[in-house]
Amino acid sequence: MQYVIMANGKGRRWGGHDGVPKHLIEIDGESLLDRTIRLIAEIDPLGRIVISSSQVEYDKFGVDRYAPPSNAFEIERFPIALSRVPTCFLYGDVFYTHDALRCVVQASGSDFLFFGNEHSIIAVKAFNAFLFSEKLEKLTEKIRQGEESDGKGWQLYHWLLGMPMPGHAIADHFVRIEDETRDFNTPDELRSFLRCRERRKQ
């Protein structure tokens, strides 16, 4: 299985907090990217890991880096060029628990699976690479033409299932993750997460 860590977002809401991109937030002394790479390697030692980012400084993580040709739309964080083989897409700004990432890595299916809850999608796993890449390409083109609204996981999920867009409805091909796993878009979200962790440790 190929694992693509999507780390090419603009981070507008993060705003350069503490002088680091949100993918390099450190929790327990380890950046989000380092943690995700480490957990994947532990759970699936034979998996190929790719960081999808135009940031050359991300080369230091010791895995392949792919620089997307365009970053104009949110949907382009799912690189079509990397979706031609079975792929698990992970978000570079997510703190994954070991249990959550093990669930994602070990999950099986026929076409695709999305992981998360009503608040956010934290992973997308495409088993049928031909179907997934074909539908991703069509959605990307419609977004570029202004025929559909731009977005990341939710728009792709609704598009693949033929559900009304936009929206955050959950139907089939969805695995709920209800633990400490979460993404960070703003400094306040990070601070809230860290406060909760401290309370649990007390």
Side-chain angles (χ1 to χ4, degrees), residues 8 10-11 13-14 16 37 39 41-42 53 56 58 64 69 117 126 135 149 161 171 184 187 202:
N8 208 39
K10 298 180 176 66
R13 286 179 286 175
W14 181 251
I37 291 168
L39 290 177
E42 289 175 2
S53 176
V56 294
Y58 290 177
D64 295 332
N117 51 51
K135 288 188 173 289
S149 60
L161 268 70
F184 303 106
Q202 293 173 357

Side-chain angles (χ1 to χ4, degrees), residues 115-149:
F115 301 81
N117 51 51
E118 289 84 355
H119 306 292
S120 63
I121 289 173
I122 57 101
V124 179
K125 200 168 186 181
F127 304 98
N128 186 334
F130 176 80
L131 172 69
F132 187 85
S133 61
E134 180 182 52
K135 288 188 173 289
L136 174 61
E137 198 160 6
K138 288 181 179 177
L139 175 58
T140 301
E141 185 58 31
K142 283 188 172 290
I143 289 174
R144 287 173 179 161
Q145 298 297 324
E147 298 175 21
E148 293 289 352
S149 60

Side-chain angles (χ1 to χ4, degrees), residues 27-28 30 32 35-36 38-39 93-101 103 116-117 119-120 122 176-184 189-202:
I27 295 176
D28 297 334
E30 185 177 39
L32 295 182
R35 178 183 178 85
T36 302
R38 174 178 61 81
L39 290 177
D93 61 353
V94 168
F95 174 89
Y96 292 96
T97 65
H98 187 276
D99 287 345
L101 204 49
C103 173
N117 51 51
H119 306 292
S120 63
I122 57 101
R176 289 181 177 271
I177 302 291
E178 302 283 1
D179 67 0
E180 198 179 24
T181 298
R182 66 162 301 167
D183 61 345
F184 303 106
E189 289 175 350
L190 174 62
R191 284 190 284 264
S192 175
F193 174 82
L194 294 175
R195 284 195 297 269
C196 289
R197 280 175 63 81
E198 283 303 313
R199 285 197 292 268
R200 280 192 287 268
K201 290 177 182 179
Q202 293 173 357

Side-chain angles (χ1 to χ4, degrees), residues 17-128:
H17 179 65
D18 282 347
V20 298
K22 58 184 179 177
H23 314 109
L24 301 185
I25 295 168
E26 288 198 1
I27 295 176
D28 297 334
E30 185 177 39
S31 74
L32 295 182
L33 280 181
D34 275 321
R35 178 183 178 85
T36 302
I37 291 168
R38 174 178 61 81
L39 290 177
I40 294 170
E42 289 175 2
I43 300 167
D44 185 2
L46 300 180
R48 180 198 179 208
I49 304 173
V50 181
I51 295 177
S52 175
S53 176
S54 57
Q55 304 298 315
V56 294
E57 58 265 34
Y58 290 177
D59 286 339
K60 69 178 183 178
F61 290 92
V63 298
D64 295 332
R65 181 177 65 86
Y66 171 81
S70 173
N71 192 29
F73 299 100
E74 298 270 352
I75 196 65
E76 291 175 324
R77 295 179 195 176
F78 291 91
I80 294 172
L82 295 179
S83 66
R84 310 297 188 188
V85 298
T87 300
C88 180
F89 294 92
L90 301 161
Y91 291 93
D93 61 353
V94 168
F95 174 89
Y96 292 96
T97 65
H98 187 276
D99 287 345
L101 204 49
R102 180 176 291 279
C103 173
V104 172
V105 170
Q106 295 183 343
S108 59
S110 58
D111 291 329
F112 55 85
L113 286 174
F114 285 65
F115 301 81
N117 51 51
E118 289 84 355
H119 306 292
S120 63
I121 289 173
I122 57 101
V124 179
K125 200 168 186 181
F127 304 98
N128 186 334

